[in-house]
Every structure is written in structure tokens, then in C-alpha cells.
Amino acid sequence: MTTTTTQSTRHAAGLALGAVALLFSAAGMAGCRGDRTDKPPRQFFPDMDQQPKLKPQSETQFFEDSRSQRPLVERSVPFGSHAVAAESVASDAWAGMIQADRDRMLKADETFSFGIVKGSTMAEPEYVDYMPVQMTSELIARGKERFDIYCSACHGYTGHGGNEGTVGRLWSYAPANLMSEIYRDRSTFQGKDGYLFHVIREGLWRPDGGNRMPAYKHAINEQDAWAVVAYLRVLQAAQGVPFDQLDPADQARLETTGGNP
Ligand code: HEC
């Protein structure tokens, strides 16, 4: 009796082990995309993974002249190789847009791309007092959106820095108060539109390479960085108006509510 029980228990254990082994091997066979393996991947639609193509500057039997790279279509001009004639830019909005695109791609306009005065260099930058883009309500709206996304975490939604931002209050450096006079006064280095633009794009660094504020040029392109500068100016203007220069309606509202909404 005892012997039989032991035998059948062994039998059951053997079966269970076999089942587990089978499961593992099945799992091994069913390797999927994303799994790590040294074997070549299974391709269910090989024509989507590997499509015939020609690489530039290589030889091919396909074209008569054996060149994979095709000559330019006659009379076409590669983008960026010629500036648009100044008189067309002046007279034609369309030509102006092409020229601006080209300048932006080639970073030919140092004021737009780096915030510096034309002819000045990044080694010895002279920042522009005023942004080179037109201040419009769309620009300000875009700037507010970008500021709220990228800057408010440290400088707060109103730009006061200090403890206002959720990240800023834990940051190793106290985020600057962007409403203070030095960032408003264009006659000082730090008050110039070009300098604010530069800080947004390049961040702030210690001489030993340590970071004080992250750079945002991976996320905020030139046009958007100018939009953020525009919004900063709006924030500053909105927060610095002396009482007697306010609208009578706003004065009345302030007096009755004490500024609370
Ligand atoms: C991760 C936190 C953080 C974020 C996000 C951040 N900043 Fe800063 N920023 C700082 C800190 C910290 C300082 C002060 C550094 C110091 O004093 O060494 C600073 C300083 C500045 C200054 C003053 C520069 C100077 O020379 O005094 C400007 C202008 C500025 N930030 C603008 C911005 C704008 C605009 C954004 C959004 C694009 C932004 N910052 C996003 C942390 C941040």
C-alpha cells in the first residue's frame, strides 16, 4: 500500500516536470519581436523589413550611366545654395519667406539664431536689445504655452522663481526671479532680449562645467525661444504697472478685492 502511493506520487511529479519543461521549450520557440536572441530575427513580412534601395555615390546596373545618384533636374537649384535676390525679397512676400527659411536653415542670420548683433560673434557676444521677430498676439500665446511647459516648473507661472516652482524649490540653485529689475532693464547685459534668448537655448553653466540651469535648445527652437522672450516681457509689464497708470476699472477692482480674484 505504502509502496504504491509513493510510486504514483513519483509518477505525478515526473509528469508535472515534463509539462514544465515542455512549456519552457515552447516559450523558447515562440520568441517574439523585442526578445533578445543571438539568432537572426524571424521575418514575417521580409519585403517590409528589407526594401531594395540605392545608396548615394554607389554603383548600380539599373541606370545606364551606372550611377545610383541621379543628376539634378535641369534648371533646378538646390535649396540654400543661392540667396534670393534682395530686390525680390523687398518686393515679394513669397521670396521673403524662402529667404527666411534658407537663413534659418543655414543659421545665416546671427540675430535670429543666436540673439547677437550682426557681425558680433559667440566668442564675444553683443546681445540685441530687441527681438528680431514681430511681437504679435499669436507669438505671445505660443510663448505662454512654452513658458508654462518648460520654465514654470522652476521659475513658477508668474516668473518669480524662488520657491514658486515645484522643481525649482528642490533644485540645487535658487531659480532667478525673472521679474526683477536686472532682467527688465535693456541697458544691462542680462536685461537684453538677446541674452534672455541665449539663456533659454543654452542654459547656464559653472566655469567647471556643472549645470546651473538646463539648456532647452533640444526642445525650444529659435522661433519659440523668441516667443518665450515675448511672453516674459508681457509678464514683466503686467506685473510692474504703477497703480495710477492702471485702467480706472482695474483700479476699482483692486480697491474692492485687494487683488484677489
Ligand atoms: C530646472 C530648473 C530650471 C528651469 C526648468 C528653467 N530654469 Fe531658468 N534658471 C534656473 C536657475 C537655478 C537659475 C539661476 C542660476 C544661478 O543663479 O546660478 C536660472 C536663471 C535664469 C535666468 C537668469 C540668467 C542670469 O544670467 O541671471 C533666466 C533669464 C532664466 N533662468 C530663464 C528661464 C526660462 C525662460 C526658462 C524656460 C525656457 C527657464 N529659465 C527654465 C533654473 C531653471
Side-chain angles (χ1 to χ4, degrees), residues 150-151 154-155 171 173-176 178 183 190 195-196 199-200 204 212-214 216 220 228 232:
Y150 292 109
C151 317
C154 286
H155 293 281
W171 197 247
Y173 294 86
L178 306 178
Y183 306 120
Q190 286 153 298
Y195 179 73
L196 299 176
V199 172
I200 295 168
L204 292 164
R212 288 153 53 204
M213 176 187 134
Y216 281 91
I220 304 183
V228 172
L232 267 178

